[in-house]
Amino acid sequence: MAGNQLSRRGAWSLADSYGFIATFVAESRAGGLVYQGRRVDRKTYTRIAPIDRQDEGNRLQSTARVLRDVPQRRHFHDYFVTNLPSSSLHPDSRSATGPHHKLPRSASTPHTTGPGPSPAAAPTMFGPSRDLTVVRIPLRSAKHHFGVALSRGTRPYNEDTYQAGTLEVPAFAKRAPISLSRSGKKGPGATSADSASGDPQVFFFGVYDGHGGNECSDFLRERLHEYVEQTAELFELGSSLKRGRGKERDAGEGREGRRGLSEKGKESLERVEMKGKEDVRDSMKVPTWNAEGRLEKPTPEPSLEGEEPEPIESNTPKAIELERSLVAQWKETVGGYFRRFRPAYFPLPTSDGSPPAEIPVSIETVLMYAFLKADLDFVTAQARKPDADAHNDEPLNADDILGQPAYRSSAKDRIGGPKRFLGGSTASVALISTPSPTPFWHPASPSTMVIAHVGDTRILLCETATGLAKPVTTNHHPSTPVEGARLRRYAATFVTDSFGEERMSGLANTRSFGDMRSKRIGVSAEPELARIELSPAEYSFVVLVSDGISGTLSDQEIVDVVKEAKTPEQGARDVVGYATEVSRDGDNASCLVVRLGGWERRIEGGMGSMGTKEVRDFRRGEAEDPRRGRT
């Protein structure tokens, strides 16, 4: 009965279905025909049922129309697509002649020499006998290419989140010379498959550190990549590998065979000129002991200087209109700092009335717009919700889906949970694009990495030749000169806490998502962007960490721990385990390790992993000391 009453107020829901089934089963057991919760004879049922069924059909068609109008969200592609020879999946399954076995490799046994004639040799395979098969490989299961580890430390729950996979956006890598892209042998090989747009896949890695709760970090994990994809579609972004709209790509036209790629990879690795210990000793940033016998973190090395943005073909008038509209929304919705807000990569009119500078659209423009749009949607959604501290007369079951059609629960604005969320989250995102189908972790493959960073999460590169940690992000703290100069005109108070860290309105980060109470004084999600061109085997790996790790360990310690691991997955676990072991505050710790072209020679450059071994041994010994005071 309850289900039928609900259906009169709106579209048919899951609760209505349950009520109808329960009523029908209960009444049919007693015998007779049941209609609308009452027993009727066959003549009455035949007369009224068709009429009501027609009304029900119209109502169901209306519901289907509403469902069709609701935009469908694409699940994030947390896998990558690659081409593998069919024989790698089914050994010798396509061989028509010869004594090839058809057993799975797990059931095969090595041949042992014994009495009697030797087994017949398999005939020589002439020509390309291995067809390629496109397979999906979950990135989180590819332990030799990607690794992640999380720990809540001593906190009651973990507010850190992460994301890793591929995006449906055009390639933004620098186009390789035509002479190089067309040279080499052609043939089947284990190369990365193209995306739906025809370009090589663009990989996406992100780490998000929530504070005040995990509502904002969960939102970024589930939705930030969607904002990037939607912005690229709105801007009608083209590919950097095409000569013009709709034309063929210059790079990657000739796919080299497995043998050619293997030889080129060895050449790239051997071409790296390793530096000795004396060459890097003065450049290495290692913690030192002070007069009291305590370790002090070194001054962080300046972040790498990025390359200039590469212009990409797009619908420039539409992009400029969207950018100006977004800035106007920030000005009207929040005000304060955003009344004179001028984001980088946006061609906005100047205050003196002069025409705006001509700034071409690039992937940096897309990331800037996506970050600001996601932050605006999150803050606006929180402003509409009731304050958790305010007492009102709402019923306790106000958010119960049984009182409304079930399909509305997914379409309803549920960003950040049912109550207003006052916390926020930092974010560090790395996008990697290659000019050819060869994946970015191959030693012979050049690639382009674009970084978008907000807050104090951190991204590090390990240089193959020197073994040094190369940061590509800077912490957005009030003590940073750039951030201090940007915000002192709006922030009334800059205070220093008991740990000696400068804070603004109680926040340690001057840039973050959320934190709606501090938006008017300039705590924005305007990302720091950097474009890094990765030469073949120039870097060994990239590490993304939250402040639970970077706040305890130095950059070089993090890199050296990863060097000693056999796989990126083991490296991520070792970094998190070491950080939580020696940490005093026990903050949430997250670490992502991504393999790059120079992985195989990661421990040869400079001092290898020995540069911080003494410091790490001291930290572990101090952590195991029972007299160590933990606060």
Side-chain angles (χ1 to χ4, degrees):
M1 293 297 293
N4 294 328
Q5 292 174 2
L6 288 174
S7 64
R8 294 297 183 184
R9 296 198 299 267
W12 190 272
S13 67
L14 186 61
D16 301 335
S17 300
Y18 287 156
F20 172 77
I21 295 174
T23 304
F24 178 80
V25 172
E27 295 292 339
S28 61
R29 290 180 177 177
L33 296 174
V34 178
Y35 184 78
Q36 296 292 340
R38 58 189 177 89
R39 187 176 295 112
V40 297
D41 56 13
R42 185 173 300 276
K43 182 178 180 181
T44 305
Y45 180 85
T46 305
R47 179 172 54 84
I48 64 177
I51 299 176
D52 201 77
R53 279 201 301 269
Q54 183 178 1
D55 296 339
E56 186 68 25
N58 295 335
R59 185 161 60 251
L60 291 176
Q61 290 180 4
S62 176
T63 303
R65 191 180 306 109
V66 173
L67 286 172
R68 187 171 58 252
D69 295 339
V70 174
Q72 299 295 324
R73 289 179 53 192
R74 179 187 70 79
H75 293 288
F76 182 61
H77 291 173
D78 56 355
Y79 54 85
F80 63 95
V81 184
T82 186
N83 296 313
L84 291 179
S86 300
S87 58
S88 299
L89 306 177
H90 307 285
D92 305 321
S93 60
R94 296 183 180 272
S95 177
T97 60
H100 301 284
H101 68 83
K102 295 185 180 297
L103 295 175
R105 293 188 176 182
S106 59
S108 63
T109 58
H111 172 68
T112 57
T113 305
S118 60
T124 306
M125 307 295 290
F126 296 98
S129 61
R130 292 184 171 186
D131 296 335
L132 291 180
T133 302
V134 178
V135 296
R136 293 180 178 179
I137 300 179
L139 190 58
R140 301 175 189 181
S141 300
K143 308 299 184 183
H144 291 272
H145 301 92
F146 169 75
V148 61
L150 307 174
S151 174
R152 63 182 177 89
T154 59
R155 304 297 175 87
Y157 50 85
N158 196 349
E159 298 175 351
D160 293 356
T161 59
Y162 77 97
Q163 193 58 275
T166 57
L167 292 181
E168 287 294 339
V169 297
F172 54 85
K174 181 180 293 185
R175 189 167 55 220
I178 299 178
S179 59
L180 296 180
S181 63
R182 292 183 177 177
S183 63
K185 301 177 181 179
K186 298 182 179 181
T191 59
S192 174
D194 293 341
S195 62
S197 62
D199 286 339
Q201 300 168 92
V202 175
F203 284 77
F204 177 93
F205 303 97
V207 60
Y208 316 112
D209 183 3
H211 48 266
N214 60 347
E215 284 83 352
C216 188
S217 57
D218 286 345
F219 166 75
L220 297 177
R221 177 193 61 194
E222 299 171 1
R223 302 287 302 276
L224 184 58
H225 52 271
E226 293 183 1
Y227 280 91
V228 177
E229 293 177 336
Q230 293 170 3
T231 303
E233 184 178 358
L234 287 174
F235 286 7
E236 300 179 18
L237 200 68
S239 172
S240 63
L241 306 181
K242 296 181 179 180
R243 307 186 189 95
R245 187 180 297 273
K247 296 185 179 181
E248 295 297 329
R249 289 180 283 124
D250 286 344
E253 292 181 359
R255 297 190 178 184
E256 299 176 344
R258 179 188 298 180
R259 186 175 180 181
L261 285 176
S262 178
E263 292 177 354
K264 282 200 169 186
K266 293 180 180 179
E267 294 176 0
S268 299
L269 289 172
E270 294 174 356
R271 198 179 299 120
V272 178
E273 297 181 1
M274 296 296 173
K275 303 295 183 180
K277 296 180 181 180
E278 300 299 329
D279 298 331
V280 302
R281 191 182 301 276
D282 297 336
S283 303
M284 183 172 293
K285 300 287 187 178
V286 181
T288 57
W289 283 268
N290 58 15
E292 300 176 356
R294 292 184 176 274
L295 282 176
E296 290 186 352
K297 291 183 61 177
T299 303
E301 185 177 351
S303 59
L304 290 176
E305 295 185 3
E307 304 286 341
E308 291 296 325
E310 290 286 337
I312 302 179
E313 187 176 3
S314 63
N315 190 339
T316 304
K318 182 180 179 181
I320 293 176
E321 183 64 27
L322 290 171
E323 293 163 0
R324 293 181 178 178
S325 175
L326 179 62
V327 174
Q329 293 178 45
W330 271 108
K331 178 180 179 180
E332 297 171 1
T333 305
V334 180
Y337 167 83
F338 294 97
R339 291 189 180 278
R340 291 183 290 273
F341 182 48
R342 299 184 56 81
Y345 306 100
F346 281 15
L348 301 176
T350 57
S351 56
D352 56 2
S354 58
E358 295 184 2
I359 302 178
V361 177
S362 61
I363 189 64
E364 287 84 352
T365 312
V366 171
L367 289 172
M368 178 67 70
Y369 184 93
F371 271 54
L372 293 175
K373 179 62 176 176
D375 190 28
L376 179 63
D377 289 351
F378 185 86
V379 173
T380 305
Q382 306 317 305
R384 292 199 210 94
K385 297 176 183 179
D387 192 349
D389 299 331
H391 299 283
N392 51 38
D393 297 330
E394 275 192 358
L396 297 179
N397 62 343
D399 298 321
D400 194 348
I401 65 172
L402 296 179
Q404 56 184 330
Y407 72 89
R408 292 186 182 275
S409 62
S410 61
K412 185 180 178 181
D413 189 6
R414 299 177 62 89
I415 297 178
K419 299 296 183 181
R420 181 178 299 172
F421 179 69
L422 302 178
S425 176
T426 63
S428 291
V429 169
L431 279 71
I432 305 179
S433 176
T434 56
S436 67
T438 307
F440 65 86
W441 56 77
H442 195 278
S445 174
S447 58
T448 300
M449 181 170 63
V450 174
I451 301 297
H453 164 66
V454 170
D456 57 3
T457 45
R458 201 157 179 81
I459 300 181
L460 307 172
L461 283 169
C462 176
E463 192 174 29
T464 306
T466 62
L468 298 178
K470 299 294 183 179
V472 293
T473 60
T474 56
N475 294 335
H476 294 147
H477 289 167
S479 57
T480 306
V482 175
E483 293 299 289
R486 182 176 70 91
L487 296 174
R488 286 188 185 276
R489 70 178 70 177
Y490 301 102
T493 57
F494 279 74
V495 299
T496 303
D497 61 11
S498 58
F499 296 97
E501 296 181 356
E502 195 171 15
R503 292 179 176 266
M504 179 187 65
S505 299
L507 295 175
N509 295 303
T510 55
R511 299 193 196 188
S512 68
F513 287 86
D515 293 320
M516 56 183 301
R517 290 179 175 175
S518 304
K519 286 300 177 186
R520 291 180 60 85
I521 59 176
V523 178
S524 70
E526 179 183 2
E528 173 190 354
L529 299 171
R531 175 186 289 257
I532 309 296
E533 298 295 339
L534 308 178
S535 301
E538 181 181 6
Y539 295 98
S540 300
F541 52 87
V542 59
V543 185
L544 295 83
V545 295
S546 63
D547 68 334
I549 294 176
S550 60
T552 302
L553 309 179
S554 64
D555 295 344
Q556 194 62 43
E557 286 181 90
I558 298 172
V559 167
D560 286 353
V561 171
V562 177
K563 289 178 186 177
E564 297 178 349
K566 295 182 179 180
T567 63
E569 191 268 342
Q570 180 185 350
R573 286 191 286 106
D574 291 348
V575 169
V576 172
Y578 172 56
T580 54
E581 180 183 2
V582 303
S583 174
R584 291 181 177 270
D585 55 0
D587 195 3
N588 299 151
S590 301
C591 178
L592 281 69
V593 179
V594 183
R595 174 175 180 159
L596 296 179
W599 172 265
E600 297 180 10
R601 303 191 66 181
R602 62 192 178 279
I603 205 167
E604 299 179 19
M607 303 183 68
S609 63
M610 302 301 293
T612 59
K613 183 172 179 54
E614 182 181 359
V615 173
R616 286 180 281 141
D617 290 343
F618 176 81
R619 285 184 185 271
R620 288 194 174 98
E622 188 182 20
E624 295 173 357
D625 188 353
R627 297 171 298 178
R628 176 188 180 187
R630 293 180 177 269
T631 57

